[in-house]
């Protein structure tokens, strides 16, 4: 996993073995941030930074939040069958949503727990999550072999929206930063634009 954190002007990199390092832009050296033991020696799959919640690391089937003295697991482990492929903050309420092989989950910092958010979806292999920057209830997910699904109610219900896709094998989603209603979908054989 590799992520650029603008507020710190540095890159964070997570290894297959669970080592987390950072490199300040322009520097040649990587600095160790956490050893594999901090993440139970599992592969770091995703790194995310939010202004409200700080650095979040997805490793194996758990999520960790950086504290002053290291990393702390988030909530109870309900993601036993979900290996994270994507994690993002929900705009407006600072809670997290994650997706992976096994489902799409919402994490509430207030309740300190994860909840499954996949009503209406058969295939649980989620490849990517993409939020609308101004609507905290609207999101898109890409499912392995099933295309793109959209929610407008915070994940309580999902509707398939595959018009214009040449393949249902969607591996990544992104919104145009100047027009968030324009969505780019990277498929295994092409790039589609809404």
């Amino acid at each position: 996993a590799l992520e650029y954190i603008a507020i710190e002007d540095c890159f964070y990199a997570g290894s297959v073995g669970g080592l987390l390092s950072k490199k300040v832009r322009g520097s040649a050296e990587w600095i160790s941030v956490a050893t594999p033991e901090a993440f139970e020696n599992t592969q770091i799959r995703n790194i995310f930074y939010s202004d409200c919640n700080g650095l979040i690391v997805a490793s194996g089937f758990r999520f960790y939040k950086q504290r002053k003295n290291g990393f702390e697991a988030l909530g109870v482990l309900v993601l036993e069958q979900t290996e994270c492929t994507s994690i993002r903050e929900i705009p407006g309420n600072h809670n997290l949503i994650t997706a992976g092989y096994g489902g799409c989950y919402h994490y509430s910092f207030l309740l300190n727990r994860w909840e499954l958010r996949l009503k209406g979806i058969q295939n649980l292999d989620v490849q990517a999550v993409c939020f609308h920057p101004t609507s905290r209830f609207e999101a898109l997910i890409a499912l392995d072999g099933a295309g793109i699904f959209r929610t407008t109610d915070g994940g309580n219900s999902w509707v398939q929206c595959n018009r214009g896709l040449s393949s249902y094998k969607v591996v990544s989603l992104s919104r145009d930063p100047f027009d968030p209603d324009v969505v780019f979908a990277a498929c295994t054989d092409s790039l589609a634009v809404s």
Side-chain angles (χ1 to χ4, degrees), residues 5-168:
I5 309 297
I7 196 165
E8 294 184 21
D9 197 21
C10 70
F11 290 92
Y12 279 87
S15 73
V16 172
L19 179 66
L20 181 66
S21 303
K22 79 175 185 178
K23 178 174 128 18
V24 176
R25 195 168 53 117
S27 170
E29 292 185 42
W30 286 89
I31 302 163
S32 176
V33 175
T35 63
E37 291 77 24
F39 308 110
E40 300 175 26
N41 297 304
T42 57
Q43 177 181 0
I44 295 175
R45 300 280 302 185
N46 210 295
I47 302 164
F48 175 74
Y49 183 86
S50 94
D51 293 335
C52 182
N53 297 308
L55 190 67
I56 307 288
V57 175
S59 180
F61 302 111
R62 291 187 185 266
F63 296 86
Y64 299 85
K65 181 176 178 177
Q66 188 175 30
R67 303 281 187 199
K68 288 183 180 181
N69 297 326
F71 284 83
E72 173 183 85
L74 288 178
V76 295
L77 179 63
V78 298
L79 306 176
E80 294 175 7
Q81 303 302 317
T82 302
E83 188 168 348
C84 174
T85 56
S86 181
I87 185 169
R88 290 293 174 252
E89 184 176 59
I90 300 171
N93 72 4
H94 307 294
N95 289 328
L96 301 175
I97 195 153
T98 186
Y101 307 114
C104 185
Y105 289 83
H106 169 262
Y107 179 78
S108 168
F109 280 96
L110 180 63
L111 301 175
N112 193 31
R113 70 174 184 216
W114 292 95
E115 296 173 344
L116 184 63
R117 293 289 175 100
L118 279 176
K119 292 179 184 171
I121 294 180
Q122 304 301 320
N123 176 345
L124 298 180
D125 290 341
V126 182
Q127 299 295 308
V129 177
C130 182
F131 289 104
H132 193 285
T134 59
S135 172
R136 69 182 190 161
F137 299 107
E138 185 178 335
L140 299 168
I141 58 174
L143 298 174
D144 186 24
I148 300 171
F149 285 74
R150 179 178 180 229
T151 183
T152 57
D153 60 8
N156 291 317
S157 63
W158 297 87
V159 176
Q160 196 171 27
C161 53
N162 288 331
R163 192 170 45 136
L165 291 180
S166 62
S167 167
Y168 289 168

Side-chain angles (χ1 to χ4, degrees), residues 175-186:
R175 290 187 185 270
D176 185 319
F178 301 105
D179 184 356
D181 293 325
V182 175
V183 177
F184 298 91

